[in-house]
Amino acid sequence: MLATAYENVLEASTVSLAAGAENAAFPLYRLWDRNVGRLFRPTQAETVEVTVAQGAEPAPVDRLFIPGGHALEGMDLSVSYSSDGAAYSVLDQWVQPDGSLIVREWPSVTAAFWKFTTTAPAAVPGLAELFLTSTHLWERGPARPSGPLEDVFNVQHAETASGRDRFLIRGEPRRQRVYHVPLAGESQKDQVLALNRAWAGAKPFWLRDHEGAWLFGRLREPLALREVAHRGYAYTFDFEEVLP
């Protein structure tokens, strides 16, 4: 089932370090700036505790994303929550095997305080985003077959005066997913409009595609949401991956 995750609770919270010290060259705010190419790092290899205080009206959380390319390989990581910011309950704990995308999930929890801990690392840890969020499932999937699904190449092409082709590779290819939804109900319409407001043309988000892969990206085109029947709506979800 397709799903999206587009709200990072860190963005509306007070985020601080309960353990570890911020490296000024790799500042803490990079954990929620939606730029997957810029790492936060502490000053040295030591236990780091990132605390997130949501305030009086906390949002539910059921998933954590940390983009690939982090420096957490082999480290002991955990996620905890608290109602008062003093006594924390460990919700998830693992040793990260490699530098690939981290996706952790659990039954939804609404808590005023969250903590992400890297315990006694042997090297200086680093990560680009700490994306604590709630998952939104699509009630109705797109029309099948869907597409296009091929990668978008980041290549500049030019032709010389003599007709010779020249290619300049500017970066890695990006994955794209284009889904046409011919009939969605009120709930899905409200959800996709909430996503569109949160995206706001500049805040990339997470999509779980039809194959179950999570992609971080953006909408290339407006949704073109329209009413096609009584309490029935159609739209096109034109999504392209954002790279570091």
Side-chain angles (χ1 to χ4, degrees):
M1 179 181 293
L2 273 69
T4 53
Y6 51 83
E7 297 167 309
N8 186 351
V9 301
L10 275 70
E11 295 175 12
S13 302
T14 300
V15 184
S16 58
L17 291 176
E22 177 185 36
N23 184 332
F26 301 90
L28 187 64
Y29 73 81
R30 291 184 175 181
L31 294 179
W32 66 92
D33 67 356
R34 307 236 181 177
N35 186 330
V36 295
R38 303 195 302 179
L39 298 183
F40 155 72
R41 288 184 184 271
T43 54
Q44 57 186 327
E46 61 181 350
T47 294
V48 176
E49 295 181 349
V50 179
T51 59
V52 180
Q54 288 206 72
E57 298 183 0
V61 173
D62 62 21
R63 194 175 299 271
L64 165 69
F65 295 97
I66 298 176
H70 54 75
L72 298 173
E73 183 175 354
M75 298 183 187
D76 184 359
L77 310 175
S78 65
V79 176
S80 309
Y81 68 94
S82 171
S83 61
D84 58 8
Y88 280 84
S89 300
V90 176
L91 183 63
D92 195 3
Q93 186 172 15
W94 72 101
V95 175
Q96 180 58 27
D98 53 34
S100 64
L101 168 66
I102 297 173
V103 184
R104 309 293 296 187
E105 60 179 305
W106 49 79
S108 184
V109 174
T110 300
F113 297 89
W114 290 85
K115 182 183 291 185
F116 175 76
T117 305
T118 306
T119 302
V124 179
L127 61 158
E129 288 281 305
L130 186 67
F131 208 103
L132 282 168
T133 188
S134 185
T135 308
H136 300 274
L137 302 178
W138 289 30
E139 292 181 351
R140 183 167 295 188
R144 302 297 297 270
S146 60
L149 301 173
E150 72 271 20
D151 289 349
V152 178
F153 298 119
N154 189 6
V155 175
Q156 181 178 335
H157 168 257
E159 188 175 296
T160 67
S162 61
R164 296 182 181 275
D165 290 293
R166 295 290 183 264
F167 302 94
L168 177 61
I169 300 175
R170 294 191 173 276
E172 296 297 317
R174 299 181 179 93
R175 290 172 288 182
Q176 64 175 332
R177 299 292 183 263
V178 181
Y179 297 124
H180 302 283
V181 180
L183 187 63
E186 287 283 345
S187 177
Q188 188 163 334
K189 178 263 292 183
D190 292 343
Q191 185 184 112
V192 77
L193 284 177
L195 178 149
N196 194 58
R197 287 191 296 270
W199 145 243
K203 297 176 75 171
F205 56 91
W206 294 93
L207 167 71
R208 185 171 66 196
D209 72 3
H210 60 289
E211 296 180 332
W214 282 102
L215 312 178
F216 186 69
R218 65 184 181 92
L219 290 177
R220 288 185 297 198
E221 299 291 340
L223 295 166
L225 180 69
R226 56 205 180 275
E227 188 176 29
V228 294
H230 177 61
R231 302 176 67 85
Y233 305 87
Y235 61 91
T236 297
F237 201 85
D238 188 342
F239 179 90
E240 184 176 278
E241 186 176 20
V242 169
L243 299 177

